C-alpha cells in the first residue's frame, strides 16, 4: 500500500532563478494601492507558497494570461510586509511601527491583517496580530486605545469570526477597566474609539458585561465604571 505523499516544502528562493535557458523564470507583475506600486516577482515562488496566487495566475483567469494582478484597494506597505513573510519567512515590524503617528501605525497593521486574510494566509495574519500587540505593549495606557479609524476599517473589512476583532475588543475592555475614572480625556478618547462602529461597541459591551457579571475582570472596575 502506497504511503500518502508528504507535502513538499517550497524551494529556496534562489532555486527559482536557476535555469539552463537564455531567459529567466516566468515573472508576474503585481500593482498595489491607488498609486499602483509595482512588484515584479517569480510566478512559481508565489504559487508554491500561497494558494490565492496559484488560483489567480494558474487558474484560467485573465490575470493568468496577462501575468498581471491589480490590488488597488490594498496598501503597498501592507503587501510589502506580507511579501517578505511569503518569500523570506519573516518580516520587520519596524516597516510599520516607524510610520509615524499612532493612528497611521494602527491603520497599517489593520490593513496588513485584512490583506493577509484576503490572501488566505492565516499564519501571517497571526504574526501580524502578535506584532501589533507587541507594539501596543510599549505604549502608555491612553496610547493603547485603538484609533477610531482603525477599528472602523477592521470592522468594515472583516466578518465573524475574526481573531483581530476579538483582540481589539479585549484591548478595549482591558483599557476601560484600567483607566482612572477621574481622567476625562482618556475616557473621552476611549468612548470615541468604542463608538466608531456599532458592532465594535456591541462586542465591547458584551465582553464587559460578561466580566462584571461573572466576576472575571482583569482589573476591578471602579464604581463610576459600573454605573
Amino acid at each position: 500500500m502506497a504511503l500518502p505523499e508528504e507535502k513538499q516544502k517550497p524551494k529556496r528562493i534562489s532555486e527559482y532563478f536557476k535555469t539552463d535557458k537564455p531567459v529567466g523564470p516566468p515573472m508576474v507583475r503585481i500593482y498595489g494601492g491607488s498609486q499602483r506600486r509595482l512588484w515584479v516577482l517569480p510566478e512559481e515562488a508565489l504559487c508554491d507558497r500561497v494558494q490565492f496566487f496559484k488560483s489567480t495566475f494558474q487558474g484560467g483567469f485573465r490575470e493568468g494570461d496577462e501575468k498581471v494582478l491589480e490590488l488597488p484597494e490594498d496598501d503597498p506597505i501592507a503587501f510589502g510586509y506580507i511579501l517578505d513573510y511569503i518569500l523570506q519567512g519573516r518580516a520587520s515590524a519596524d516597516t510599520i511601527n516607524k510610520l509615524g503617528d499612532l493612528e497611521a501605525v494602527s491603520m497599517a497593521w489593520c490593513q496588513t491583517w485584512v490583506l493577509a486574510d484576503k490572501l488566505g494566509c492565516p499564519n501571517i495574519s497571526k504574526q501580524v496580530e502578535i506584532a501589533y500587540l507587541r507594539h501596543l505593549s510599549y505604549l502608555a495606557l491612553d496610547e493603547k486605545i485603538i484609533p477610531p479609524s482603525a477599528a472602523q476599517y477592521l470592522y468594515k473589512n472583516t466578518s465573524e469570526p475574526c481573531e483581530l476583532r476579538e483582540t481589539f475588543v479585549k484591548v478595549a475592555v482591558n483599557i476601560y477597566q484600567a483607566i482612572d475614572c477621574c481622567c476625562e480625556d482618556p475616557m473621552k478618547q476611549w468612548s470615541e474609539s468604542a463608538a466608531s462602529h456599532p458592532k465594535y461597541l456591541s462586542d465591547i459591551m458584551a465582553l464587559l458585561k460578561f466580566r462584571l457579571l461573572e466576576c472575571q475582570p482583569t482589573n476591578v472596575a471602579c464604581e463610576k465604571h459600573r454605573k
Side-chain angles (χ1 to χ4, degrees), residues 108-162:
W109 281 121
C110 286
Q111 292 171 325
T112 305
W113 195 97
V114 168
L115 180 54
D117 184 61
K118 172 181 174 179
L119 297 178
C121 301
N123 57 323
I124 298 179
S125 296
K126 188 61 182 178
Q127 292 304 317
V128 169
E129 180 184 351
I130 291 171
Y132 183 52
L133 285 174
R134 185 178 298 119
H135 163 71
L136 292 180
S137 70
Y138 293 112
L139 303 179
L141 184 64
D142 61 327
E143 294 177 330
K144 297 178 191 290
I145 298 172
I146 307 297
S149 59
Q152 190 175 70
Y153 175 86
L154 180 68
Y155 269 77
K156 282 186 174 182
N157 290 278
T158 58
S159 57
E160 296 181 304
C162 172

Side-chain angles (χ1 to χ4, degrees), residues 22-113:
V23 295
M27 307 295 280
V28 296
R29 289 177 290 157
I30 299 179
Y31 293 91
S34 59
Q35 301 299 315
R36 301 184 78 239
R37 179 175 175 184
L38 173 63
W39 285 266
V40 180
L41 303 161
E43 177 183 350
E44 189 182 1
L46 294 178
C47 295
D48 281 355
R49 287 164 168 76
V50 180
Q51 182 60 41
F52 175 90
F53 292 122
K54 186 176 181 66
S55 299
T56 299
F57 293 118
Q58 299 177 358
F61 298 106
R62 184 189 66 186
E63 289 85 354
D65 295 332
E66 299 178 354
K67 302 303 179 185
V68 175
L69 174 62
E70 298 276 357
L71 298 172
E73 297 179 356
D74 297 302
D75 182 62
I77 293 176
F79 183 71
Y81 181 92
I82 291 171
L83 189 61
D84 284 345
Y85 250 113
I86 291 172
L87 298 180
Q88 300 177 163
R90 63 185 184 278
S92 173
D94 287 346
T95 304
I96 294 176
N97 289 338
K98 292 185 177 181
L99 283 177
D101 63 83
L102 297 175
E103 182 175 7
V105 172
S106 292
M107 179 62 80
W109 281 121
C110 286
Q111 292 171 325
T112 305
W113 195 97

